[in-house]
Amino acid sequence: MSASRTNWKGIMLFLLPVALLYCAFFLYPLVFVFVTGCTSWNGIRAMSFTGLSNYIKLFGNGTFRLSLRNNFIWAFALAFIQVPLATITAMVLARKPRGWRFLRTVYFLPNVISQVAIAMMWMALYNAEYGILNHFLSAIGLESWTHNWLGEIGTALPAVIAQQVLYIGYFMIIILAGILSIPDSLYEAAEMDGAGVLRQELYVTLPMIRGLLVTSMTLAVAYGLRHFEATYLMTNGGPANSTSVLGLLLYKKMGALDYGQANAIGSVLVLTGGLLIIFIRRIFGRVESASETVQ
């Protein structure tokens, strides 16, 4: 009894600094955002309580609805395109083909490069007049496919998303670590039972890394919802707000000193993120896998 109480006090003592920091730098700002989202405030004068009027105005605003839709597109594109691509690549590299260490480094390299530099590079690639993409399409006889990729409403959003989806290194590293931790004896047993490579991946690898896949998809959704940098740098939400996202809209509201609506957008962003994560957990269920030991 005495030892248990001592352990309890020790645990609380070690957790207390983190709990205090969490309350000071997450819970308090979160409550502040929700409260000020119900006010009219320019950041200088005193706040005036306006109830839900900021939220009513936002949901009646076409740019806000478009930004919310784009955030969903970002989240699902990263979760259901980027993560599967990373999984397939990790499966191939886990077989340790020649040069797999080099390829692992190459795929991860974009994740250590500044997002600004990457955005500038893709703006050059997409350039309607001098970009290599249009030149390549023209060279292979597909001139009708050339576009002003970042300047046309129909192509701007897919073009911005594509430059992000292709960088699979972050999730590939996580999933690859999980696959490499699977005991070889499982694959040897599957091979003795006559399972080929494809069946081994389907019935051994995927079940063993299911926990990692759910975690990766949750992170991908979170990244999609809080996306800001590439859109701000490449299109600033244009053309005609077709690439706008909530983070960018929030930034513009703050620039206009409309902190009430900016914080209302932040509140919607937090609630949307929470609901989407619950949705993903509901879809894929509670995961109890040996692979969780590497998360």
Side-chain angles (χ1 to χ4, degrees), residues 14-61:
F14 278 100
L15 289 179
L16 187 60
V18 176
L20 290 176
L21 290 173
Y22 185 81
C23 291
F25 296 105
F26 180 73
L27 289 184
Y28 171 72
L30 189 63
V31 172
F32 183 81
V33 165
F34 278 109
V35 171
T36 52
C38 297
T39 65
S40 175
W41 185 41
N42 65 3
I44 301 173
R45 289 179 296 186
M47 304 176 193
S48 61
F49 184 72
T50 57
L52 298 177
S53 64
N54 282 333
Y55 296 93
I56 294 171
K57 286 179 185 175
L58 284 177
F59 282 97
N61 184 310

Side-chain angles (χ1 to χ4, degrees), residues 4-184:
S4 174
R5 183 174 297 175
T6 303
N7 289 338
W8 181 81
K9 288 180 179 177
I11 291 170
M12 291 301 295
L13 184 63
F14 278 100
L15 289 179
L16 187 60
V18 176
L20 290 176
L21 290 173
Y22 185 81
C23 291
F25 296 105
F26 180 73
L27 289 184
Y28 171 72
L30 189 63
V31 172
F32 183 81
V33 165
F34 278 109
V35 171
T36 52
C38 297
T39 65
S40 175
W41 185 41
N42 65 3
I44 301 173
R45 289 179 296 186
M47 304 176 193
S48 61
F49 184 72
T50 57
L52 298 177
S53 64
N54 282 333
Y55 296 93
I56 294 171
K57 286 179 185 175
L58 284 177
F59 282 97
N61 184 310
T63 303
F64 171 80
R65 294 197 301 271
L66 188 60
S67 301
L68 185 61
R69 186 207 68 169
N70 289 344
N71 269 111
F72 275 101
I73 294 174
W74 267 99
F76 284 108
L78 296 183
F80 296 106
I81 299 177
Q82 190 181 42
V83 173
L85 285 175
T87 304
I88 294 171
T89 306
M91 285 177 170
V92 173
L93 294 185
R95 294 280 168 178
K96 300 183 180 178
R98 178 174 296 182
W100 73 278
R101 293 179 189 277
F102 172 74
L103 291 173
R104 180 184 59 183
T105 304
V106 168
Y107 289 138
F108 188 73
L109 191 59
N111 294 89
V112 298
I113 297 176
S114 164
Q115 185 67 244
V116 176
I118 290 177
M120 295 298 107
M121 180 190 75
W122 278 93
M123 287 177 69
L125 290 174
Y126 284 139
N127 187 283
E129 190 173 357
Y130 305 107
I132 191 173
L133 181 57
N134 278 348
H135 280 293
F136 174 74
L137 291 173
S138 299
I140 61 175
L142 296 174
E143 290 186 26
S144 60
W145 289 20
T146 59
H147 292 279
N148 181 0
W149 298 96
L150 297 177
E152 296 178 16
I153 292 177
T155 57
L157 183 62
V160 179
I161 292 177
Q163 61 84 30
Q164 190 78 41
V165 166
L166 293 176
Y167 296 127
I168 60 173
Y170 180 76
F171 295 119
M172 182 209 69
I173 286 292
I174 294 175
I175 297 168
L176 180 61
I179 295 176
L180 292 177
S181 71
I182 298 174
D184 292 338

